[in-house]
Amino acid sequence: MSDGALAAIDPQAFVHVRVVIGVVAGLSVTRLLGGLSRFVQHPSLNRVYPAHLAWSIFMLILVMHFWWFEFGLFRIAHWEFDEYVSVLSYAALIFFVSALLFPDHMAEYTGYADYFHSRQRWFYGLLAAIFVVDIIDSALKGVEYFEALGSFYPVRQVLLCGLCISGALIRRPSFHLLISIVAIIAELWWIFVQFRFLN
């Protein structure tokens, strides 16, 4: 029997996947919290750019939510390599977007506003990819699970993808702040609906 076949039937496969997800999600949280702490540690060197700050908060909420709802993967009885790659890709995208928000060095930029707009196409392109991969990830959990998410789920995904496309093309700071606030509200609303806080 091949290693792939063994992984597919091994009940510990989910534990293995959960550990890998936890490591990558943990790195994302570390990156975001470390980056946000710079504003407190060195406020004169790191001036807050509202849109960048709002997207950082959105990503922190998204990572925490992702880490929690991925527990739903226990529904997958038999793991295949493509399912593993899909879930790991999702986690990797989240980490990459988190790392984009807080680069290792800022010397070549005048501040976070300058940096954010110099990378806005990368940021919004990868963020849109997260929402697309989220649909794939939800579909992996089964048709019944996907349908149970309700009608708000696909509307939310399409809305956020559309905002990302717009964000990649428009440079106006007020627009970026507006769509980041919309994204935060949509994410919080989705968390409240999913966990029945609003029912």
Side-chain angles (χ1 to χ4, degrees):
M1 188 175 286
S2 70
D3 290 343
L6 284 171
I9 62 173
D10 186 349
Q12 293 299 312
F14 172 64
V15 175
H16 173 71
V17 172
R18 194 173 64 182
V19 168
V20 173
I21 290 171
V23 169
V24 179
L27 289 170
S28 301
V29 170
T30 300
R31 188 75 175 218
L32 290 166
L33 291 178
L36 288 169
S37 71
R38 295 178 197 171
F39 297 125
V40 178
Q41 294 169 344
H42 307 287
S44 60
L45 294 176
N46 300 289
R47 292 182 57 198
V48 172
Y49 177 51
H52 171 267
L53 178 62
W55 279 119
S56 301
I57 292 169
F58 169 81
M59 285 304 300
L60 191 57
I61 296 168
L62 180 71
V63 175
M64 290 187 293
H65 185 205
F66 165 76
W67 209 340
W68 179 256
F69 75 67
E70 283 307 314
F71 189 74
L73 292 173
F74 78 88
R75 293 179 180 89
I76 299 176
H78 301 290
W79 278 89
E80 300 293 341
F81 188 71
D82 57 339
E83 294 166 335
Y84 169 71
V85 169
S86 174
V87 173
L88 190 56
S89 297
Y90 192 156
L93 278 169
I94 288 176
F95 172 76
F96 200 75
V97 172
S98 300
L100 266 178
L101 284 169
F102 293 101
D104 293 325
H105 305 288
M106 290 285 293
E108 61 204 280
Y109 304 100
T110 58
Y112 278 100
D114 180 35
Y115 170 75
F116 181 80
H117 289 293
S118 74
R119 294 292 177 270
Q120 74 182 52
R121 290 189 177 183
W122 272 102
F123 173 76
Y124 287 112
L126 290 169
L127 194 57
I130 288 174
F131 300 131
V132 171
V133 172
D134 186 78
I135 293 173
I136 296 169
D137 179 68
S138 297
L140 283 174
K141 295 181 177 96
V143 176
E144 185 178 329
Y145 175 86
F146 193 88
E147 290 177 349
L149 294 174
S151 57
F152 177 71
Y153 175 72
V155 170
R156 171 187 176 271
Q157 298 306 100
V158 170
L159 169 68
L160 292 173
C161 279
L163 290 177
C164 286
I165 293 168
S166 301
L169 302 174
I170 298 171
R171 193 174 172 89
R172 192 165 55 249
S174 58
F175 179 76
H176 291 275
L177 180 59
L178 174 64
I179 64 175
S180 63
I181 291 170
V182 169
I184 290 171
I185 292 170
E187 184 65 19
L188 289 174
W189 177 267
W190 180 233
I191 290 170
F192 292 149
V193 167
Q194 262 195 316
F195 300 118
R196 307 291 186 257
F197 294 140
L198 297 180
N199 290 348

